[in-house]
PDB file of all heavy atoms in Angstrom:
ATOM      1  N   GLN N   1      11.003  -8.819  30.074  1.00  0.00           N
ATOM      2  CA  GLN N   1       9.858  -9.343  30.800  1.00  0.00           C
ATOM      3  C   GLN N   1       9.361  -8.262  31.747  1.00  0.00           C
ATOM      4  O   GLN N   1      10.112  -7.786  32.597  1.00  0.00           O
ATOM      5  CB  GLN N   1      10.247 -10.591  31.591  1.00  0.00           C
ATOM      6  CG  GLN N   1       9.114 -11.184  32.406  1.00  0.00           C
ATOM      7  CD  GLN N   1       7.996 -11.716  31.545  1.00  0.00           C
ATOM      8  OE1 GLN N   1       8.227 -12.367  30.526  1.00  0.00           O
ATOM      9  NE2 GLN N   1       6.754 -11.467  31.955  1.00  0.00           N
ATOM     10  N   MET N   2       8.106  -7.887  31.575  1.00  0.00           N
ATOM     11  CA  MET N   2       7.544  -6.802  32.367  1.00  0.00           C
ATOM     12  C   MET N   2       6.405  -7.341  33.223  1.00  0.00           C
ATOM     13  O   MET N   2       5.400  -7.817  32.688  1.00  0.00           O
ATOM     14  CB  MET N   2       7.035  -5.688  31.450  1.00  0.00           C
ATOM     15  CG  MET N   2       8.091  -5.177  30.486  1.00  0.00           C
ATOM     16  SD  MET N   2       7.543  -3.741  29.540  1.00  0.00           S
ATOM     17  CE  MET N   2       6.204  -4.435  28.601  1.00  0.00           C
ATOM     18  N   ASN N   3       6.576  -7.293  34.528  1.00  0.00           N
ATOM     19  CA  ASN N   3       5.569  -7.765  35.466  1.00  0.00           C
ATOM     20  C   ASN N   3       5.035  -6.607  36.307  1.00  0.00           C
ATOM     21  O   ASN N   3       5.643  -5.534  36.372  1.00  0.00           O
ATOM     22  CB  ASN N   3       6.170  -8.831  36.383  1.00  0.00           C
ATOM     23  CG  ASN N   3       6.661 -10.048  35.628  1.00  0.00           C
ATOM     24  OD1 ASN N   3       6.097 -10.440  34.612  1.00  0.00           O
ATOM     25  ND2 ASN N   3       7.734 -10.659  36.119  1.00  0.00           N
ATOM     26  N   SER N   4       3.923  -6.837  36.949  1.00  0.00           N
ATOM     27  CA  SER N   4       3.313  -5.820  37.823  1.00  0.00           C
ATOM     28  C   SER N   4       3.223  -4.474  37.119  1.00  0.00           C
ATOM     29  O   SER N   4       3.603  -3.438  37.664  1.00  0.00           O
ATOM     30  CB  SER N   4       4.118  -5.690  39.122  1.00  0.00           C
ATOM     31  OG  SER N   4       4.206  -6.918  39.799  1.00  0.00           O
ATOM     32  N   LEU N   5       2.709  -4.492  35.923  1.00  0.00           N
ATOM     33  CA  LEU N   5       2.664  -3.278  35.111  1.00  0.00           C
ATOM     34  C   LEU N   5       1.743  -2.235  35.725  1.00  0.00           C
ATOM     35  O   LEU N   5       0.713  -2.564  36.346  1.00  0.00           O
ATOM     36  CB  LEU N   5       2.227  -3.611  33.697  1.00  0.00           C
ATOM     37  CG  LEU N   5       3.344  -4.236  32.846  1.00  0.00           C
ATOM     38  CD1 LEU N   5       2.752  -4.948  31.630  1.00  0.00           C
ATOM     39  CD2 LEU N   5       4.330  -3.173  32.400  1.00  0.00           C
ATOM     40  N   LYS N   6       2.134  -0.979  35.535  1.00  0.00           N
ATOM     41  CA  LYS N   6       1.385   0.158  36.055  1.00  0.00           C
ATOM     42  C   LYS N   6       0.971   1.059  34.897  1.00  0.00           C
ATOM     43  O   LYS N   6       1.629   1.056  33.852  1.00  0.00           O
ATOM     44  CB  LYS N   6       2.263   0.956  37.017  1.00  0.00           C
ATOM     45  CG  LYS N   6       2.856   0.153  38.155  1.00  0.00           C
ATOM     46  CD  LYS N   6       3.808   1.004  38.975  1.00  0.00           C
ATOM     47  CE  LYS N   6       4.429   0.206  40.116  1.00  0.00           C
ATOM     48  NZ  LYS N   6       5.371   1.038  40.906  1.00  0.00           N
ATOM     49  N   PRO N   7      -0.067   1.852  35.072  1.00  0.00           N
ATOM     50  CA  PRO N   7      -0.468   2.779  33.999  1.00  0.00           C
ATOM     51  C   PRO N   7       0.682   3.686  33.558  1.00  0.00           C
ATOM     52  O   PRO N   7       0.768   4.028  32.374  1.00  0.00           O
ATOM     53  CB  PRO N   7      -1.607   3.564  34.642  1.00  0.00           C
ATOM     54  CG  PRO N   7      -2.210   2.617  35.616  1.00  0.00           C
ATOM     55  CD  PRO N   7      -1.045   1.850  36.183  1.00  0.00           C
ATOM     56  N   GLU N   8       1.559   4.048  34.471  1.00  0.00           N
ATOM     57  CA  GLU N   8       2.686   4.912  34.115  1.00  0.00           C
ATOM     58  C   GLU N   8       3.751   4.209  33.275  1.00  0.00           C
ATOM     59  O   GLU N   8       4.692   4.843  32.805  1.00  0.00           O
ATOM     60  CB  GLU N   8       3.329   5.521  35.362  1.00  0.00           C
ATOM     61  CG  GLU N   8       3.676   4.515  36.442  1.00  0.00           C
ATOM     62  CD  GLU N   8       2.609   4.434  37.525  1.00  0.00           C
ATOM     63  OE1 GLU N   8       1.404   4.389  37.171  1.00  0.00           O
ATOM     64  OE2 GLU N   8       2.986   4.379  38.717  1.00  0.00           O
ATOM     65  N   ASP N   9       3.613   2.918  33.064  1.00  0.00           N
ATOM     66  CA  ASP N   9       4.511   2.192  32.156  1.00  0.00           C
ATOM     67  C   ASP N   9       4.052   2.324  30.700  1.00  0.00           C
ATOM     68  O   ASP N   9       4.753   1.869  29.796  1.00  0.00           O
ATOM     69  CB  ASP N   9       4.562   0.707  32.526  1.00  0.00           C
ATOM     70  CG  ASP N   9       5.209   0.450  33.876  1.00  0.00           C
ATOM     71  OD1 ASP N   9       6.228   1.110  34.186  1.00  0.00           O
ATOM     72  OD2 ASP N   9       4.697  -0.399  34.628  1.00  0.00           O
ATOM     73  N   THR N  10       2.908   2.933  30.492  1.00  0.00           N
ATOM     74  CA  THR N  10       2.390   3.120  29.140  1.00  0.00           C
ATOM     75  C   THR N  10       3.347   3.984  28.324  1.00  0.00           C
ATOM     76  O   THR N  10       3.710   5.090  28.732  1.00  0.00           O
ATOM     77  CB  THR N  10       1.007   3.780  29.177  1.00  0.00           C
ATOM     78  OG1 THR N  10       0.085   2.874  29.806  1.00  0.00           O
ATOM     79  CG2 THR N  10       0.520   4.108  27.780  1.00  0.00           C
ATOM     80  N   ALA N  11       3.775   3.456  27.179  1.00  0.00           N
ATOM     81  CA  ALA N  11       4.742   4.156  26.334  1.00  0.00           C
ATOM     82  C   ALA N  11       5.003   3.313  25.091  1.00  0.00           C
ATOM     83  O   ALA N  11       4.587   2.155  25.010  1.00  0.00           O
ATOM     84  CB  ALA N  11       6.055   4.381  27.083  1.00  0.00           C
ATOM     85  N   VAL N  12       5.721   3.921  24.154  1.00  0.00           N
ATOM     86  CA  VAL N  12       6.313   3.147  23.062  1.00  0.00           C
ATOM     87  C   VAL N  12       7.675   2.669  23.551  1.00  0.00           C
ATOM     88  O   VAL N  12       8.484   3.472  24.032  1.00  0.00           O
ATOM     89  CB  VAL N  12       6.455   3.979  21.780  1.00  0.00           C
ATOM     90  CG1 VAL N  12       7.144   3.163  20.696  1.00  0.00           C
ATOM     91  CG2 VAL N  12       5.089   4.471  21.314  1.00  0.00           C
ATOM     92  N   TYR N  13       7.919   1.384  23.424  1.00  0.00           N
ATOM     93  CA  TYR N  13       9.173   0.784  23.885  1.00  0.00           C
ATOM     94  C   TYR N  13      10.093   0.515  22.702  1.00  0.00           C
ATOM     95  O   TYR N  13       9.667  -0.074  21.703  1.00  0.00           O
ATOM     96  CB  TYR N  13       8.883  -0.504  24.651  1.00  0.00           C
ATOM     97  CG  TYR N  13       8.379  -0.254  26.052  1.00  0.00           C
ATOM     98  CD1 TYR N  13       7.112   0.275  26.267  1.00  0.00           C
ATOM     99  CD2 TYR N  13       9.178  -0.505  27.162  1.00  0.00           C
ATOM    100  CE1 TYR N  13       6.651   0.543  27.549  1.00  0.00           C
ATOM    101  CE2 TYR N  13       8.734  -0.257  28.445  1.00  0.00           C
ATOM    102  CZ  TYR N  13       7.471   0.279  28.628  1.00  0.00           C
ATOM    103  OH  TYR N  13       7.010   0.549  29.904  1.00  0.00           O
ATOM    104  N   TYR N  14      11.336   0.942  22.857  1.00  0.00           N
ATOM    105  CA  TYR N  14      12.323   0.833  21.784  1.00  0.00           C
ATOM    106  C   TYR N  14      13.494  -0.042  22.222  1.00  0.00           C
ATOM    107  O   TYR N  14      13.975   0.059  23.360  1.00  0.00           O
ATOM    108  CB  TYR N  14      12.870   2.205  21.414  1.00  0.00           C
ATOM    109  CG  TYR N  14      11.854   3.159  20.867  1.00  0.00           C
ATOM    110  CD1 TYR N  14      11.149   4.011  21.713  1.00  0.00           C
ATOM    111  CD2 TYR N  14      11.593   3.220  19.500  1.00  0.00           C
ATOM    112  CE1 TYR N  14      10.215   4.903  21.209  1.00  0.00           C
ATOM    113  CE2 TYR N  14      10.658   4.107  18.991  1.00  0.00           C
ATOM    114  CZ  TYR N  14       9.975   4.941  19.850  1.00  0.00           C
ATOM    115  OH  TYR N  14       9.056   5.820  19.349  1.00  0.00           O
ATOM    116  N   CYS N  15      13.978  -0.810  21.280  1.00  0.00           N
ATOM    117  CA  CYS N  15      15.187  -1.600  21.452  1.00  0.00           C
ATOM    118  C   CYS N  15      16.350  -0.818  20.840  1.00  0.00           C
ATOM    119  O   CYS N  15      16.167  -0.134  19.822  1.00  0.00           O
ATOM    120  CB  CYS N  15      14.989  -2.936  20.738  1.00  0.00           C
ATOM    121  SG  CYS N  15      16.408  -4.005  20.664  1.00  0.00           S
ATOM    122  N   ALA N  16      17.520  -0.910  21.448  1.00  0.00           N
ATOM    123  CA  ALA N  16      18.684  -0.193  20.941  1.00  0.00           C
ATOM    124  C   ALA N  16      19.932  -1.051  21.078  1.00  0.00           C
ATOM    125  O   ALA N  16      20.009  -1.914  21.956  1.00  0.00           O
ATOM    126  CB  ALA N  16      18.864   1.117  21.709  1.00  0.00           C
ATOM    127  N   ALA N  17      20.907  -0.774  20.204  1.00  0.00           N
ATOM    128  CA  ALA N  17      22.145  -1.558  20.208  1.00  0.00           C
ATOM    129  C   ALA N  17      23.348  -0.649  20.020  1.00  0.00           C
ATOM    130  O   ALA N  17      23.283   0.351  19.294  1.00  0.00           O
ATOM    131  CB  ALA N  17      22.108  -2.599  19.081  1.00  0.00           C
ATOM    132  N   ASP N  18      24.432  -1.022  20.704  1.00  0.00           N
ATOM    133  CA  ASP N  18      25.679  -0.295  20.518  1.00  0.00           C
ATOM    134  C   ASP N  18      26.853  -1.253  20.639  1.00  0.00           C
ATOM    135  O   ASP N  18      26.850  -2.131  21.508  1.00  0.00           O
ATOM    136  CB  ASP N  18      25.821   0.827  21.553  1.00  0.00           C
ATOM    137  CG  ASP N  18      26.968   1.741  21.200  1.00  0.00           C
ATOM    138  OD1 ASP N  18      26.777   2.614  20.328  1.00  0.00           O
ATOM    139  OD2 ASP N  18      28.056   1.569  21.768  1.00  0.00           O
ATOM    140  N   GLU N  19      27.860  -1.039  19.814  1.00  0.00           N
ATOM    141  CA  GLU N  19      28.986  -1.961  19.770  1.00  0.00           C
ATOM    142  C   GLU N  19      29.949  -1.777  20.934  1.00  0.00           C
ATOM    143  O   GLU N  19      30.757  -2.645  21.232  1.00  0.00           O
ATOM    144  CB  GLU N  19      29.738  -1.807  18.440  1.00  0.00           C
ATOM    145  CG  GLU N  19      30.647  -2.978  18.114  1.00  0.00           C
ATOM    146  CD  GLU N  19      31.156  -2.939  16.688  1.00  0.00           C
ATOM    147  OE1 GLU N  19      30.925  -1.934  15.989  1.00  0.00           O
ATOM    148  OE2 GLU N  19      31.771  -3.923  16.281  1.00  0.00           O
ATOM    149  N   ASP N  20      29.868  -0.646  21.622  1.00  0.00           N
ATOM    150  CA  ASP N  20      30.761  -0.410  22.755  1.00  0.00           C
ATOM    151  C   ASP N  20      30.284  -1.174  23.982  1.00  0.00           C
ATOM    152  O   ASP N  20      29.105  -1.476  24.123  1.00  0.00           O
ATOM    153  CB  ASP N  20      30.819   1.078  23.086  1.00  0.00           C
ATOM    154  CG  ASP N  20      31.509   1.877  21.999  1.00  0.00           C
ATOM    155  OD1 ASP N  20      32.363   1.292  21.290  1.00  0.00           O
ATOM    156  OD2 ASP N  20      31.189   3.072  21.849  1.00  0.00           O
ATOM    157  N   GLN N  21      31.221  -1.438  24.884  1.00  0.00           N
ATOM    158  CA  GLN N  21      30.874  -2.016  26.182  1.00  0.00           C
ATOM    159  C   GLN N  21      30.523  -0.853  27.092  1.00  0.00           C
ATOM    160  O   GLN N  21      31.393  -0.196  27.633  1.00  0.00           O
ATOM    161  CB  GLN N  21      32.045  -2.802  26.756  1.00  0.00           C
ATOM    162  CG  GLN N  21      31.750  -3.480  28.083  1.00  0.00           C
ATOM    163  CD  GLN N  21      30.789  -4.644  27.938  1.00  0.00           C
ATOM    164  OE1 GLN N  21      29.614  -4.494  27.618  1.00  0.00           O
ATOM    165  NE2 GLN N  21      31.294  -5.838  28.179  1.00  0.00           N
ATOM    166  N   LEU N  22      29.236  -0.594  27.256  1.00  0.00           N
ATOM    167  CA  LEU N  22      28.797   0.587  27.967  1.00  0.00           C
ATOM    168  C   LEU N  22      28.815   0.365  29.473  1.00  0.00           C
ATOM    169  O   LEU N  22      28.326  -0.648  29.968  1.00  0.00           O
ATOM    170  CB  LEU N  22      27.393   0.969  27.510  1.00  0.00           C
ATOM    171  CG  LEU N  22      27.232   1.211  26.000  1.00  0.00           C
ATOM    172  CD1 LEU N  22      25.793   1.554  25.674  1.00  0.00           C
ATOM    173  CD2 LEU N  22      28.165   2.314  25.530  1.00  0.00           C
ATOM    174  N   SER N  23      29.345   1.318  30.179  1.00  0.00           N
ATOM    175  CA  SER N  23      29.388   1.225  31.631  1.00  0.00           C
ATOM    176  C   SER N  23      28.056   1.669  32.214  1.00  0.00           C
ATOM    177  O   SER N  23      27.193   2.198  31.519  1.00  0.00           O
ATOM    178  CB  SER N  23      30.516   2.105  32.175  1.00  0.00           C
ATOM    179  OG  SER N  23      30.256   3.451  31.871  1.00  0.00           O
ATOM    180  N   SER N  24      27.925   1.509  33.502  1.00  0.00           N
ATOM    181  CA  SER N  24      26.643   1.794  34.146  1.00  0.00           C
ATOM    182  C   SER N  24      26.234   3.241  33.987  1.00  0.00           C
ATOM    183  O   SER N  24      25.059   3.563  33.945  1.00  0.00           O
ATOM    184  CB  SER N  24      26.718   1.438  35.632  1.00  0.00           C
ATOM    185  OG  SER N  24      27.729   2.186  36.272  1.00  0.00           O
ATOM    186  N   GLY N  25      27.205   4.132  33.901  1.00  0.00           N
ATOM    187  CA  GLY N  25      26.866   5.535  33.776  1.00  0.00           C
ATOM    188  C   GLY N  25      26.481   5.950  32.373  1.00  0.00           C
ATOM    189  O   GLY N  25      25.881   7.002  32.168  1.00  0.00           O
ATOM    190  N   ILE N  26      26.801   5.118  31.404  1.00  0.00           N
ATOM    191  CA  ILE N  26      26.599   5.477  30.002  1.00  0.00           C
ATOM    192  C   ILE N  26      25.501   4.664  29.356  1.00  0.00           C
ATOM    193  O   ILE N  26      24.869   5.117  28.399  1.00  0.00           O
ATOM    194  CB  ILE N  26      27.928   5.304  29.240  1.00  0.00           C
ATOM    195  CG1 ILE N  26      28.986   6.231  29.859  1.00  0.00           C
ATOM    196  CG2 ILE N  26      27.773   5.578  27.758  1.00  0.00           C
ATOM    197  CD1 ILE N  26      30.345   6.108  29.252  1.00  0.00           C
ATOM    198  N   VAL N  27      25.217   3.494  29.883  1.00  0.00           N
ATOM    199  CA  VAL N  27      24.238   2.597  29.263  1.00  0.00           C
ATOM    200  C   VAL N  27      22.846   3.231  29.211  1.00  0.00           C
ATOM    201  O   VAL N  27      22.030   2.865  28.375  1.00  0.00           O
ATOM    202  CB  VAL N  27      24.205   1.246  30.003  1.00  0.00           C
ATOM    203  CG1 VAL N  27      23.594   1.404  31.400  1.00  0.00           C
ATOM    204  CG2 VAL N  27      23.489   0.186  29.194  1.00  0.00           C
ATOM    205  N   ALA N  28      22.584   4.172  30.090  1.00  0.00           N
ATOM    206  CA  ALA N  28      21.259   4.788  30.168  1.00  0.00           C
ATOM    207  C   ALA N  28      21.083   5.983  29.242  1.00  0.00           C
ATOM    208  O   ALA N  28      20.001   6.560  29.182  1.00  0.00           O
ATOM    209  CB  ALA N  28      20.964   5.208  31.600  1.00  0.00           C
ATOM    210  N   ARG N  29      22.106   6.357  28.548  1.00  0.00           N
ATOM    211  CA  ARG N  29      22.031   7.537  27.680  1.00  0.00           C
ATOM    212  C   ARG N  29      21.586   7.140  26.281  1.00  0.00           C
ATOM    213  O   ARG N  29      22.192   6.279  25.655  1.00  0.00           O
ATOM    214  CB  ARG N  29      23.386   8.217  27.607  1.00  0.00           C
ATOM    215  CG  ARG N  29      23.924   8.690  28.940  1.00  0.00           C
ATOM    216  CD  ARG N  29      25.302   9.308  28.778  1.00  0.00           C
ATOM    217  NE  ARG N  29      25.916   9.650  30.058  1.00  0.00           N
ATOM    218  CZ  ARG N  29      27.152  10.105  30.201  1.00  0.00           C
ATOM    219  NH1 ARG N  29      27.910  10.283  29.127  1.00  0.00           N
ATOM    220  NH2 ARG N  29      27.628  10.378  31.410  1.00  0.00           N
ATOM    221  N   THR N  30      20.593   7.823  25.743  1.00  0.00           N
ATOM    222  CA  THR N  30      20.124   7.511  24.395  1.00  0.00           C
ATOM    223  C   THR N  30      21.226   7.758  23.365  1.00  0.00           C
ATOM    224  O   THR N  30      21.334   7.030  22.386  1.00  0.00           O
ATOM    225  CB  THR N  30      18.889   8.345  24.030  1.00  0.00           C
ATOM    226  OG1 THR N  30      19.205   9.735  24.180  1.00  0.00           O
ATOM    227  CG2 THR N  30      17.718   8.006  24.931  1.00  0.00           C
ATOM    228  N   ALA N  31      22.050   8.758  23.610  1.00  0.00           N
ATOM    229  CA  ALA N  31      23.110   9.100  22.663  1.00  0.00           C
ATOM    230  C   ALA N  31      24.196   8.039  22.582  1.00  0.00           C
ATOM    231  O   ALA N  31      25.034   8.064  21.675  1.00  0.00           O
ATOM    232  CB  ALA N  31      23.733  10.442  23.047  1.00  0.00           C
ATOM    233  N   SER N  32      24.197   7.092  23.531  1.00  0.00           N
ATOM    234  CA  SER N  32      25.218   6.051  23.529  1.00  0.00           C
ATOM    235  C   SER N  32      24.967   4.984  22.465  1.00  0.00           C
ATOM    236  O   SER N  32      25.861   4.205  22.152  1.00  0.00           O
ATOM    237  CB  SER N  32      25.277   5.369  24.904  1.00  0.00           C
ATOM    238  OG  SER N  32      25.628   6.288  25.904  1.00  0.00           O
ATOM    239  N   TYR N  33      23.777   4.932  21.932  1.00  0.00           N
ATOM    240  CA  TYR N  33      23.380   3.835  21.055  1.00  0.00           C
ATOM    241  C   TYR N  33      23.374   4.256  19.590  1.00  0.00           C
ATOM    242  O   TYR N  33      22.879   5.323  19.237  1.00  0.00           O
ATOM    243  CB  TYR N  33      21.999   3.312  21.450  1.00  0.00           C
ATOM    244  CG  TYR N  33      22.018   2.658  22.814  1.00  0.00           C
ATOM    245  CD1 TYR N  33      21.931   3.425  23.966  1.00  0.00           C
ATOM    246  CD2 TYR N  33      22.155   1.279  22.943  1.00  0.00           C
ATOM    247  CE1 TYR N  33      21.978   2.836  25.224  1.00  0.00           C
ATOM    248  CE2 TYR N  33      22.185   0.683  24.191  1.00  0.00           C
ATOM    249  CZ  TYR N  33      22.102   1.463  25.332  1.00  0.00           C
ATOM    250  OH  TYR N  33      22.140   0.881  26.571  1.00  0.00           O
ATOM    251  N   ASP N  34      23.884   3.376  18.761  1.00  0.00           N
ATOM    252  CA  ASP N  34      23.973   3.652  17.329  1.00  0.00           C
ATOM    253  C   ASP N  34      22.746   3.193  16.558  1.00  0.00           C
ATOM    254  O   ASP N  34      22.427   3.746  15.502  1.00  0.00           O
ATOM    255  CB  ASP N  34      25.209   2.954  16.741  1.00  0.00           C
ATOM    256  CG  ASP N  34      26.501   3.591  17.215  1.00  0.00           C
ATOM    257  OD1 ASP N  34      26.497   4.806  17.491  1.00  0.00           O
ATOM    258  OD2 ASP N  34      27.511   2.872  17.299  1.00  0.00           O
ATOM    259  N   TYR N  35      22.072   2.171  17.052  1.00  0.00           N
ATOM    260  CA  TYR N  35      20.987   1.576  16.283  1.00  0.00           C
ATOM    261  C   TYR N  35      19.718   1.471  17.129  1.00  0.00           C
ATOM    262  O   TYR N  35      19.792   1.147  18.321  1.00  0.00           O
ATOM    263  CB  TYR N  35      21.377   0.175  15.795  1.00  0.00           C
ATOM    264  CG  TYR N  35      22.635   0.170  14.967  1.00  0.00           C
ATOM    265  CD1 TYR N  35      23.848  -0.247  15.516  1.00  0.00           C
ATOM    266  CD2 TYR N  35      22.620   0.620  13.657  1.00  0.00           C
ATOM    267  CE1 TYR N  35      25.005  -0.231  14.761  1.00  0.00           C
ATOM    268  CE2 TYR N  35      23.779   0.639  12.893  1.00  0.00           C
ATOM    269  CZ  TYR N  35      24.962   0.221  13.459  1.00  0.00           C
ATOM    270  OH  TYR N  35      26.112   0.250  12.701  1.00  0.00           O
TER     271      TYR N  35
END
């Protein structure tokens, strides 16, 4: 859910999934996700 959208939010948005339980430091890394 995206509210108060700004022009800088313009982008292609991607969904990703990974089977590991990612910690806060790793969840933000693109390389952490398999799908």
Side-chain angles (χ1 to χ4, degrees):
Q1 179 65 43
M2 305 187 296
N3 299 327
S4 302
L5 283 162
K6 305 175 181 179
E8 51 263 45
D9 293 319
T10 295
V12 177
Y13 283 70
Y14 297 90
C15 174
D18 191 80
E19 197 168 8
D20 292 333
Q21 182 70 293
L22 303 179
S23 63
S24 60
I26 300 177
V27 70
R29 300 178 186 175
T30 56
S32 298
Y33 294 82
D34 290 330
Y35 303 102

